Amino acid sequence: MQLIEKKSIYKYLPLHLALLIPIPGRFVYGFTIVLEHIILTLIGTLINSLINKLNLKELKTVIIMLTMISVTIFFRQILVVTYTEIALTLGYLIFLPPISLFLIQIIYSDLEEPLPVRLKTNLIQTAVFSLNSLLFFLFRDIAGFGTFTFYSGNHMFFEKVLFDSDNVGIFSFFATLPGVLVLAAMVLFFSLFIHEKMKIQKRVELQNDLH
């Protein structure tokens, strides 16, 4: 059980390194990647279940990867048509989610469970990651640039200036690559710290119940 819990924590590490760090520190870019990740989780889980029902396990990996890449290409084409600047800025980063270790583990996990249960579990795990990621990008956008960015009309995204970027001060460090590395490390350390505290609390409660 402890091994499974540790795996569920450590599988966030590759995704943080592969997804959060290279992406520009604006909320609109982070939201776009998070939206793509949710879509891929939903479609990947459904495709995996369909493959098992059709007894095509020998072709599972090929079918799933082709499906994920195809969905990603379609998602990118929608971005090109609707928000060209976002698509151009993200570039190849759009293709990171379908090959991320976190997403692959989610799609392939708990195959013995019924589809509704797997969908619920996978979407909950994705929702937790998505919330952490959105807070991560929101902090970088506000603290690093003094702005908030999101989708707007006319194939553009708007930038709401919250305060003068000259007054951002030391927080502008988090808009740089070294800054995002430090921030990602802080988030992961804090997550592991909370996880260990919760495990200790559960052990204490279990011992109290036994006595």
Side-chain angles (χ1 to χ4, degrees), residues 3 18 35-36 43 50 68 81 87 103 110-111 134 138 146 148 161-162 166 174-176 180 182-183 185:
L3 180 60
L35 178 60
E36 178 191 0
I43 294 178
L50 180 61
M68 305 293 270
V81 174
L103 185 61
D110 299 326
L111 295 179
L134 291 178
L138 182 62
F148 174 75
V161 178
L162 302 178
D166 293 335
F174 294 110
T176 65
V180 70
V182 172
L183 183 59

Side-chain angles (χ1 to χ4, degrees), residues 121-147:
T121 303
N122 292 353
L123 289 176
I124 287 176
Q125 291 188 61
T126 303
V128 172
F129 163 77
S130 300
L131 179 60
N132 290 332
S133 299
L134 291 178
L135 291 175
F136 182 87
F137 284 103
L138 182 62
F139 177 79
R140 290 191 67 200
D141 202 352
I142 295 176
F145 300 94
T147 60

Side-chain angles (χ1 to χ4, degrees), residues 27-61:
F27 184 81
V28 66
Y29 299 131
F31 186 87
T32 301
I33 293 296
V34 165
L35 178 60
E36 178 191 0
H37 196 272
I38 294 174
I39 294 173
L40 290 174
T41 299
L42 178 60
I43 294 178
T45 304
L46 293 174
I47 289 295
N48 195 13
S49 178
L50 180 61
I51 291 173
N52 290 331
K53 286 187 176 182
L54 295 177
N55 198 23
L56 298 174
K57 296 182 180 180
E58 296 81 3
L59 301 174
K60 175 184 290 189
T61 302

Side-chain angles (χ1 to χ4, degrees), residues 175-192:
T176 65
L177 183 57
V180 70
L181 287 169
V182 172
L183 183 59
M186 291 170 58
V187 170
L188 290 171
F189 175 80
F190 181 75
S191 299
L192 291 172

Side-chain angles (χ1 to χ4, degrees), residues 54-119:
L54 295 177
N55 198 23
L56 298 174
K57 296 182 180 180
E58 296 81 3
L59 301 174
K60 175 184 290 189
T61 302
V62 175
I63 295 175
I64 289 179
M65 290 308 301
L66 287 177
T67 301
M68 305 293 270
I69 295 298
S70 299
V71 171
T72 302
I73 293 174
F74 182 68
F75 181 81
R76 184 180 185 278
Q77 289 305 115
I78 294 177
L79 276 181
V80 169
V81 174
T82 55
Y83 295 98
T84 307
E85 184 176 353
I86 295 177
L88 292 176
T89 301
L90 290 177
Y92 73 92
L93 297 175
I94 292 179
F95 294 96
L96 290 180
I99 60 174
S100 66
L101 179 60
F102 176 73
L103 185 61
I104 292 173
Q105 287 182 337
I106 284 182
I107 293 174
Y108 280 87
S109 65
D110 299 326
L111 295 179
E112 67 280 358
E113 296 288 345
L115 178 59
V117 175
R118 274 190 289 138
L119 273 175

